[in-house]
Amino acid sequence: MELSPRNDPEIGGAGVGDPSPILPEDPAGKPGRPRPWWVFVLVGLLLGALVAGAVAAAVVATQRSGSEAPLPDPSDSSPGPSDSSPGSGDSSPGSSPGSGDSSPGSSPGPGDASSSSTPPPRSVILMVSDGSGPASMTVARYVAYHMQQAAAGNVAMGADAAGAEPLLVLPEDFTLPLDRMLVGTARTRSSSSLVTDSAAGATAFSCAAKTYNGAIAVTPDDRLPCGTILEAAAVAGLRTGLVATSRVTHATPAAFSAHVASRSSENQIAEQQVAGATPLDFMPDLVLGGGRRHFMPKSVRGSRRSDERDLMAEAEQRFGATVVRTANQLAALLPSDPAAQPAFPVLGLFSDTHLAYELDRPTTDQPSLLEMTDFALESLGRELRQTGTPFFLMVEGSKIDLAAHDQDPGAHVHDILMYNRAVDRARAFVDEHPGTVLISVSDHETGGLTAGAEVGASPKSYLWHPGVLAAVQRSTDFVAAELFTFERANSPTQEAMEAHVVATLGQAFRVTDLTPAEVTAIAELAFFSRTTHTDAMLQALGNVISHRAVIGWTTHGHTGVDVNLYAYGGADAGANAAIVASLAGSRENTDIGRFVVNYLDLDLAQVTATLQAAGGALMLGPADEPAWPGAYTRGHG
Amino acid sequence: MELSPRNDPEIGGAGVGDPSPILPEDPAGKPGRPRPWWVFVLVGLLLGALVAGAVAAAVVATQRSGSEAPLPDPSDSSPGPSDSSPGSGDSSPGSSPGSGDSSPGSSPGPGDASSSSTPPPRSVILMVSDGSGPASMTVARYVAYHMQQAAAGNVAMGADAAGAEPLLVLPEDFTLPLDRMLVGTARTRSSSSLVTDSAAGATAFSCAAKTYNGAIAVTPDDRLPCGTILEAAAVAGLRTGLVATSRVTHATPAAFSAHVASRSSENQIAEQQVAGATPLDFMPDLVLGGGRRHFMPKSVRGSRRSDERDLMAEAEQRFGATVVRTANQLAALLPSDPAAQPAFPVLGLFSDTHLAYELDRPTTDQPSLLEMTDFALESLGRELRQTGTPFFLMVEGSKIDLAAHDQDPGAHVHDILMYNRAVDRARAFVDEHPGTVLISVSDHETGGLTAGAEVGASPKSYLWHPGVLAAVQRSTDFVAAELFTFERANSPTQEAMEAHVVATLGQAFRVTDLTPAEVTAIAELAFFSRTTHTDAMLQALGNVISHRAVIGWTTHGHTGVDVNLYAYGGADAGANAAIVASLAGSRENTDIGRFVVNYLDLDLAQVTATLQAAGGALMLGPADEPAWPGAYTRGHG
Ligand SMILES: [Zn+2]
Ligand SMILES: [Zn+2]
């Protein structure tokens, strides 16, 4: 049996894409394929768990009762929808291909979804904070608090803030949005190493299975494609979306929407993502991030393709996609009338390669992670409210990881704080849409970050200084480029270069106490070739910040520590019961995939069979054995 | 009002200690002082939470359904009690001083505690894995798995095991006992720093309040004593116990049983612990660990006292304590007849200073953490079963922290594995004694440990090797002492010293591929003074292991990362409801203290008032301002 997801480019239309949907779906958007017996058992269990869910909701309420101090949200232009009643509209024709059978317990009729006999449509928002270990989350919390206190004038910012932390006024329950939804931890090892890369880490989520480092949704032994939760959700008639701050062809988003033996085959990944190059022949309803270089014809400057295919044009033609390239274009896509439905699919590629770190972001060109998340949830939310069609959305804070590879604590923390803003937006969506579960997890830790390090001679310090990180204005990557550019443009003397270093770091890092040795070393690095000395420059710049913040690192690669696992089901009893039963505690990373499969009632095996039966092995491209498993080169994740 | 805990040295006797107990207690051992109105609300809530507790129990059951592979337990000589029916006996006279009022909802009668109308007596086992961060727990899990596989002949041990990890047969759900009870994380900062020391960390647990680094159960501003949960439990008529592998006067056990401005005042701490030097004038029923040097008269070799007091003799005279000094003596204290009651109090001091690392332990002299925990639970369990008297027990894996200060991954991990065995013993106790809650938490992370580090040149490695740690036979501390001793005894040539280094490390670490540079450097260090070069020697020895295991460290002090929080209530609905409501999620370390206060219905404020009204400030001793906050010197924790 071949399965194909729905991909109707026009709302209300029958779908001009190829192929037409073949799977029935019921009006509330629940998948309509025949269910195995255990589904009925599950439904019974979930009904029985309503009381339990209330308990879990009480836990959530307890966790939320702390001193909630979310960061100031710069994008207040997208308030939550006023109509938050899920399932209140009938489905429009065409958005529900097939009239569907009516499996008992899974077929909510139109009307009030809050009725206990009508479970709301189930959606999942899976957020991935790539490369954030437990220490990252701890550090981000206190940096956020320092910023809040600095904004209130209670404490100084920057390196001069060392020792001036407002500890005595720090409320014990100051927390970030993520803190208020911690449910456990995830074990991260891959099939080839105790230290995973992002490809194997994301495949654990997407295929609910371990694979080797470097693998994009393929099996470890025979390297055959494994069906992903995004694909299965699409096949089941759900809307699907991918949001990332990396290239959308990078490991994490790729592992939900493509199948290749090596993560470095990004051109093939792009073809599978938006040009129908898998037997499923679909594209997700939303693909937002960076990476145009793998979608542009070879002849276009900046392209990394080896052919003249224009995948953005192909997506428009094949799937009716709307393609946008700037933050402003994206914002304009959403009709101002909240009753008007958005146009799916949308392909938004806002940079030739990765998007910028939040600290460096050109705000009119590139949307923030919050803005992309908000667009996705507003679009998918309207669809959910108007047609009852639920969704699966993956949102990745991709560059958190890349900053840690560079041991750049400023870019790392500020991308985590933006990620927390996106989490807060998603939590609000869950509150407004019962049945939606928000999960946040990291694929692995990066950098061996710790809040505390050897500084100077004995006696050793029992402290670290969040104020130093709070004050940082630019990534080390940005500053390194600036210093190399200045040198090439001006051919300065050592003295002039040193003066430029002092001025630049003063502005970019708010560090005003550089030692002569630091200034000289950084200035000298700027005279070398950018090609050969970028790593050394990044290290020197990162050290300036890390030493003052008393932050430690052990590697430029990943580490194997368990990562934090967060989930939120709002006030929905079934969602909370499912979270408590299947996500709380110490979990394997594959449990996250299994949770989504069970919660959305997906059939990965059927998708896998479709992919493999259609000669899926042929599309896998060359394996990348020399580089994976076990190796790291700059630029990987 | 002055409060005094019960301290009856003879079972069944009225207590010859001074003072006699003044607080009533009901037959089931629940504290009998008048309860505020909210207690009744709480009781109502807890009854209402029975269903919720069943859910939580289901969660626990889920967590336990994994591949449970506890480490082989060398002490099978202490099987669980066959009579596990709590409250099945009436109290013996004298063990329940005062006949007590009968507060509604809190007065279980004799009979079957499993009846829904008779909540079982409530006890708490608080276990502290000092200096274990999230990475420590991750590392320990895979080392345990490697040991299991090596024992089965499936994989090699030692440095030659690098690259030979049995990953492909690693079941996804292989877990340690602690993994199966993870409920959240704890935020650890003190009132004086984002990086706590063990004194402030333990005071957060014991007084449920933040204080400054170095403080032993005193308030941060005026440095007045704060009542601890152990003291309040004793006052309420519960049995109390302290178990540690450090000196019992070290920060963590001290903060439950003494009040001084500086942790370094260990002589005063000892006086308060066992010689009645607080207004409460009691000693805990069990005090087991190291540290005789602070209890012995100055004239005894090894003493660190500045007077001729013999606190072990004073404990015998004042409180009728039984004093033991070896593991064999301790084991002999427990009557072989399981119906016979143990003698309280017991003061077991098994070393002049800290006990040995588990790797180095002289097994007839020093009990393991498991053996001490087993003795404590067997003793307290008999009392609970025979008289219905519940207890509060604190168990610390103290030297986990000290190993991390030395960046000794072998000693660190093997002490964590012994700690897990003790956890497993405590879990079994909870299973047999409904109403008992087991909590395990760390006070802070130490060392900035990560599983993954920069090794060699690019490309960087995405791996680490648990087999290297699994093979370690001795601590670096032990090996360092051996090398210095060999040099002093034999005055060897450099060549002979190098040969000895190769032989010793081959035996102690199972490392057989030492580089000539490593051998030379370590041999040269042995020729220096032990006084001046122990730190350098420890570093060189630790590096031998860490580099081969691909383990990273960032500091010899502590770090500020959130630590894992574990709790277990067995099948008891009330216990699980309390855990879910008050320990799950991201918590402040003070929440652990508050949980114990609420769960055991303790009154810290009354104890604090007693301590302060009696001139408690006078006993605090000198503050240690120059050293704390924010400083670390070797030997601290
Ligand atoms: Zn990475
Ligand atoms: Zn310590």
Side-chain angles (χ1 to χ4, degrees):
Chain A
M1 179 192 186
E2 189 185 37
L3 305 180
S4 297
R6 181 198 57 204
N7 208 287
D8 48 329
E10 294 176 338
I11 301 303
V16 298
D18 178 23
S20 56
I22 59 170
L23 284 184
E25 182 190 37
D26 72 42
K30 295 289 290 182
R33 72 173 178 281
R35 285 171 179 76
W37 63 269
W38 54 261
V39 170
F40 303 107
V41 176
L42 189 67
V43 169
L45 282 174
L46 286 173
L47 288 174
L50 285 175
V51 175
V55 174
V59 175
V60 170
T62 302
Q63 291 190 256
R64 297 186 69 207
S65 67
S67 169
E68 299 198 17
L71 298 169
D73 182 342
S75 73
D76 280 330
S77 56
S78 295
S82 57
D83 176 8
S84 63
S85 166
S88 61
D90 286 333
S91 347
S92 324
S95 71
S96 296
S99 60
D101 62 350
S102 290
S103 305
S106 66
S107 235
D112 182 2
S114 69
S115 152
S116 64
S117 62
T118 311
R122 292 181 156 202
S123 298
V124 169
I125 307 165
L126 173 58
M127 298 186 64
V128 179
S129 52
D130 197 309
S132 314
S136 306
M137 300 311 192
T138 303
V139 167
R141 179 191 309 125
Y142 297 110
V143 171
Y145 183 70
H146 197 102
M147 291 172 76
Q148 190 196 61
Q149 290 297 308
N154 294 339
V155 65
M157 274 278 214
D160 54 342
E165 278 77 24
L167 283 167
L168 296 180
V169 294
L170 179 65
E172 289 198 6
D173 54 359
F174 177 86
T175 52
L176 284 183
L178 276 178
D179 291 322
R180 300 190 284 273
M181 50 184 273
L182 180 83
V183 298
T185 58
R187 308 187 290 270
T188 65
R189 65 107 182 158
S190 70
S191 74
S192 60
S193 176
L194 287 174
V195 179
T196 190
D197 84 314
S198 288
T203 300
F205 302 148
S206 69
C207 290
K210 299 278 187 187
T211 191
Y212 60 93
N213 284 2
I216 300 292
V218 298
T219 58
D221 297 330
D222 41 15
R223 309 200 167 196
L224 292 172
C226 51
T228 74
I229 52 179
L230 184 141
E231 291 167 337
V235 165
L238 278 69
R239 294 291 184 184
T240 59
L242 288 176
V243 171
T245 52
S246 62
R247 298 188 297 271
V248 298
T249 50
H250 207 237
T252 306
F256 287 85
S257 52
H259 308 271
V260 290
S262 166
R263 56 185 289 167
S264 45
S265 305
E266 291 190 53
N267 289 332
Q268 284 175 280
I269 290 168
E271 292 158 23
Q272 295 183 33
Q273 287 178 315
V274 305
T278 80
L280 297 171
D281 194 14
F282 86 113
M283 73 169 279
D285 295 298
L286 294 173
V287 178
L288 306 177
R292 281 195 299 254
R293 69 189 201 186
H294 299 290
F295 296 81
M296 306 188 299
K298 178 187 181 181
S299 54
V300 173
R301 181 187 161 86
S303 172
R304 292 288 180 95
R305 291 199 65 81
S306 52
D307 57 31
E308 287 295 335
R309 289 179 71 174
D310 179 343
L311 300 185
M312 289 179 276
E314 289 189 38
E316 286 175 332
Q317 288 148 21
R318 191 176 191 98
F319 299 115
T322 306
V323 178
V324 291
R325 291 166 172 253
T326 69
N328 288 343
Q329 287 170 359
L330 181 70
L333 280 189
L334 205 64
S336 57
D337 174 8
Q341 287 183 334
F344 292 128
V346 174
L347 174 60
L349 298 175
F350 308 105
S351 169
D352 283 356
T353 179
H354 301 312
L355 302 188
Y357 289 116
E358 180 56 28
L359 286 175
D360 307 327
R361 182 168 60 89
T363 54
T364 54
D365 279 356
Q366 297 186 11
S368 69
L369 184 67
L370 174 62
E371 286 162 359
M372 290 192 289
T373 304
D374 186 72
F375 177 87
L377 291 175
E378 184 60 23
S379 302
L380 297 167
R382 290 183 188 190
E383 175 82 348
L384 171 62
R385 295 189 297 276
Q386 290 165 18
T387 72
T389 308
F391 64 85
F392 170 78
L393 173 67
M394 197 288 294
V395 174
E396 185 193 30
S398 319
K399 296 200 67 181
I400 296 168
D401 173 64
L402 298 175
H405 279 292
D406 286 349
Q407 299 189 350
D408 178 351
H412 184 66
V413 164
H414 288 274
D415 264 34
I416 292 174
L417 294 181
M418 177 52 73
Y419 179 85
N420 264 274
R421 287 176 178 170
V423 166
D424 218 24
R425 172 69 183 93
R427 281 172 60 103
F429 184 92
V430 171
D431 285 334
E432 293 157 357
H433 298 84
T436 304
V437 165
L438 166 63
I439 301 168
S440 173
V441 68
S442 192
D443 45 359
H444 55 75
E445 200 272 347
T446 303
L449 175 68
T450 55
E454 225 69 271
V455 175
S458 204
K460 305 305 184 288
S461 300
Y462 275 22
L463 47 77
W464 70 276
H465 298 304
V468 176
L469 304 184
V472 173
Q473 304 294 311
R474 292 289 188 183
S475 72
T476 57
D477 196 50
F478 183 97
V479 172
E482 206 284 330
L483 295 179
F484 283 120
T485 300
F486 177 86
E487 191 279 332
R488 197 167 52 178
N490 300 284
S491 301
T493 61
Q494 171 79 18
E495 192 177 19
M497 193 68 226
E498 291 190 3
H500 186 69
V501 166
V502 170
T504 303
L505 272 61
Q507 212 165 23
F509 302 155
R510 299 276 167 92
V511 168
T512 54
D513 61 349
L514 288 172
T515 66
E518 286 174 323
V519 173
T520 302
I522 292 169
E524 282 174 356
L525 282 168
F527 288 100
F528 286 98
S529 153
R530 177 188 305 210
T531 307
T532 57
H533 280 70
T534 290
D535 282 357
M537 177 66 90
L538 290 172
Q539 190 70 62
L541 295 171
N543 286 350
V544 164
I545 306 170
S546 294
H547 287 176
R548 284 167 177 75
V550 197
I551 290 290
W553 307 86
T554 68
T555 178
H556 286 269
H558 298 175
T559 75
V561 62
D562 295 350
V563 295
N564 291 350
L565 175 54
Y566 306 91
Y568 183 69
D572 187 78
N576 284 307
I579 289 169
V580 170
S582 304
L583 289 178
S586 172
R587 297 284 171 176
E588 205 72 30
N589 54 1
T590 48
D591 285 338
I592 287 113
R594 280 189 282 271
F595 173 89
V596 177
V597 166
N598 291 331
Y599 188 71
L600 297 181
D601 189 20
L602 304 177
D603 191 340
L604 288 189
Q606 240 175 327
V607 176
T608 298
T610 302
L611 289 167
Q612 295 189 359
L618 299 178
M619 68 188 177
L620 294 182
D624 194 7
E625 284 289 17
W628 296 96
Y632 164 69
T633 51
R634 190 171 143 69
H636 268 122
Chain B
M1 179 191 184
E2 188 184 38
L3 306 179
S4 297
R6 182 197 57 205
N7 207 287
D8 48 331
E10 296 174 338
I11 301 302
V16 298
D18 177 22
S20 57
I22 59 169
L23 283 184
E25 181 189 38
D26 71 41
K30 293 289 290 182
R33 73 170 179 282
R35 286 172 178 74
W37 62 269
W38 55 262
V39 170
F40 304 107
V41 175
L42 188 68
V43 168
L45 282 173
L46 286 172
L47 287 175
L50 284 176
V51 174
V55 174
V59 175
V60 170
T62 302
Q63 291 190 256
R64 297 186 68 207
S65 67
S67 167
E68 300 198 17
L71 297 169
D73 182 342
S75 73
D76 279 331
S77 56
S78 293
S82 58
D83 176 6
S84 63
S85 166
S88 61
D90 288 335
S91 345
S92 326
S95 72
S96 295
S99 60
D101 60 351
S102 290
S103 305
S106 65
S107 233
D112 183 3
S114 69
S115 151
S116 64
S117 63
T118 311
R122 293 181 155 200
S123 297
V124 169
I125 307 164
L126 174 58
M127 297 187 63
V128 179
S129 52
D130 198 308
S132 313
S136 306
M137 300 311 192
T138 303
V139 166
R141 180 191 308 126
Y142 297 110
V143 171
Y145 182 71
H146 197 103
M147 291 172 76
Q148 190 195 60
Q149 290 298 307
N154 294 340
V155 66
M157 274 280 214
D160 54 343
E165 278 78 23
L167 282 167
L168 296 180
V169 294
L170 178 65
E172 288 199 8
D173 53 0
F174 177 86
T175 52
L176 284 182
L178 275 179
D179 291 323
R180 301 190 283 275
M181 50 185 272
L182 179 82
V183 298
T185 58
R187 308 187 289 270
T188 65
R189 64 106 182 160
S190 70
S191 74
S192 60
S193 174
L194 286 175
V195 180
T196 190
D197 84 315
S198 289
T203 300
F205 304 148
S206 69
C207 291
K210 299 278 188 187
T211 191
Y212 60 94
N213 285 2
I216 300 292
V218 297
T219 57
D221 297 331
D222 41 15
R223 310 201 165 195
L224 292 173
C226 52
T228 76
I229 53 179
L230 184 141
E231 291 167 336
V235 164
L238 278 68
R239 293 290 183 186
T240 58
L242 288 177
V243 172
T245 53
S246 62
R247 298 188 296 271
V248 299
T249 51
H250 208 237
T252 305
F256 287 84
S257 52
H259 308 269
V260 291
S262 166
R263 56 185 290 165
S264 45
S265 306
E266 292 189 53
N267 289 332
Q268 283 175 281
I269 290 167
E271 293 158 22
Q272 295 183 33
Q273 287 178 314
V274 304
T278 79
L280 297 171
D281 195 14
F282 86 113
M283 73 169 279
D285 295 298
L286 294 172
V287 177
L288 306 177
R292 282 194 297 255
R293 70 188 201 187
H294 300 289
F295 296 80
M296 305 188 300
K298 177 186 182 183
S299 53
V300 174
R301 180 186 160 86
S303 171
R304 292 287 180 95
R305 292 199 64 81
S306 52
D307 57 32
E308 287 296 335
R309 290 179 71 174
D310 178 343
L311 299 186
M312 290 179 276
E314 289 190 36
E316 287 174 332
Q317 289 148 20
R318 190 177 192 98
F319 299 116
T322 305
V323 178
V324 291
R325 290 165 172 256
T326 69
N328 289 342
Q329 287 171 358
L330 181 71
L333 279 190
L334 206 64
S336 57
D337 174 7
Q341 286 185 335
F344 292 127
V346 174
L347 173 60
L349 298 175
F350 308 104
S351 170
D352 283 356
T353 179
H354 301 311
L355 302 187
Y357 289 116
E358 180 56 29
L359 286 175
D360 308 327
R361 183 169 60 89
T363 55
T364 54
D365 280 355
Q366 297 186 11
S368 69
L369 185 66
L370 173 62
E371 287 162 359
M372 290 192 288
T373 304
D374 186 71
F375 177 87
L377 291 175
E378 185 60 23
S379 303
L380 296 167
R382 291 183 187 190
E383 174 82 348
L384 171 62
R385 294 189 297 276
Q386 290 166 17
T387 71
T389 308
F391 62 86
F392 170 78
L393 172 66
M394 197 290 293
V395 174
E396 185 194 30
S398 320
K399 296 201 67 180
I400 297 168
D401 173 64
L402 298 175
H405 279 291
D406 286 349
Q407 300 189 349
D408 178 351
H412 183 66
V413 164
H414 288 274
D415 264 34
I416 292 174
L417 294 180
M418 176 51 73
Y419 180 85
N420 265 273
R421 288 175 177 170
V423 166
D424 219 23
R425 172 68 182 93
R427 281 172 60 103
F429 184 93
V430 171
D431 286 334
E432 294 158 357
H433 298 83
T436 304
V437 166
L438 166 63
I439 301 169
S440 172
V441 68
S442 192
D443 46 358
H444 54 75
E445 200 272 347
T446 303
L449 174 69
T450 55
E454 226 69 273
V455 174
S458 202
K460 305 305 184 287
S461 300
Y462 276 22
L463 47 76
W464 70 275
H465 298 303
V468 176
L469 304 185
V472 173
Q473 304 295 311
R474 290 289 188 184
S475 73
T476 57
D477 196 51
F478 183 96
V479 173
E482 206 284 329
L483 296 179
F484 283 120
T485 300
F486 177 86
E487 190 279 331
R488 198 167 50 180
N490 300 286
S491 301
T493 62
Q494 171 79 16
E495 193 176 18
M497 192 70 225
E498 290 189 4
H500 186 70
V501 166
V502 169
T504 302
L505 272 61
Q507 215 166 20
F509 301 157
R510 299 278 166 90
V511 168
T512 54
D513 61 349
L514 287 172
T515 66
E518 286 174 324
V519 173
T520 302
I522 293 169
E524 283 175 355
L525 282 168
F527 288 100
F528 286 97
S529 152
R530 178 188 306 211
T531 307
T532 57
H533 281 70
T534 289
D535 282 357
M537 178 67 90
L538 290 172
Q539 189 70 60
L541 295 172
N543 286 350
V544 163
I545 306 170
S546 295
H547 287 176
R548 284 167 177 76
V550 197
I551 289 290
W553 306 87
T554 68
T555 178
H556 286 268
H558 298 174
T559 75
V561 61
D562 295 350
V563 295
N564 290 350
L565 175 54
Y566 306 90
Y568 183 68
D572 186 78
N576 284 306
I579 289 169
V580 170
S582 304
L583 287 179
S586 172
R587 296 285 171 177
E588 205 72 29
N589 54 2
T590 48
D591 285 338
I592 287 113
R594 279 189 282 271
F595 173 88
V596 177
V597 166
N598 291 330
Y599 188 72
L600 297 181
D601 189 21
L602 304 177
D603 191 339
L604 289 188
Q606 239 174 327
V607 176
T608 298
T610 301
L611 289 166
Q612 295 190 359
L618 298 178
M619 68 188 177
L620 294 182
D624 194 7
E625 283 289 16
W628 297 96
Y632 164 70
T633 52
R634 191 170 143 67
H636 266 124

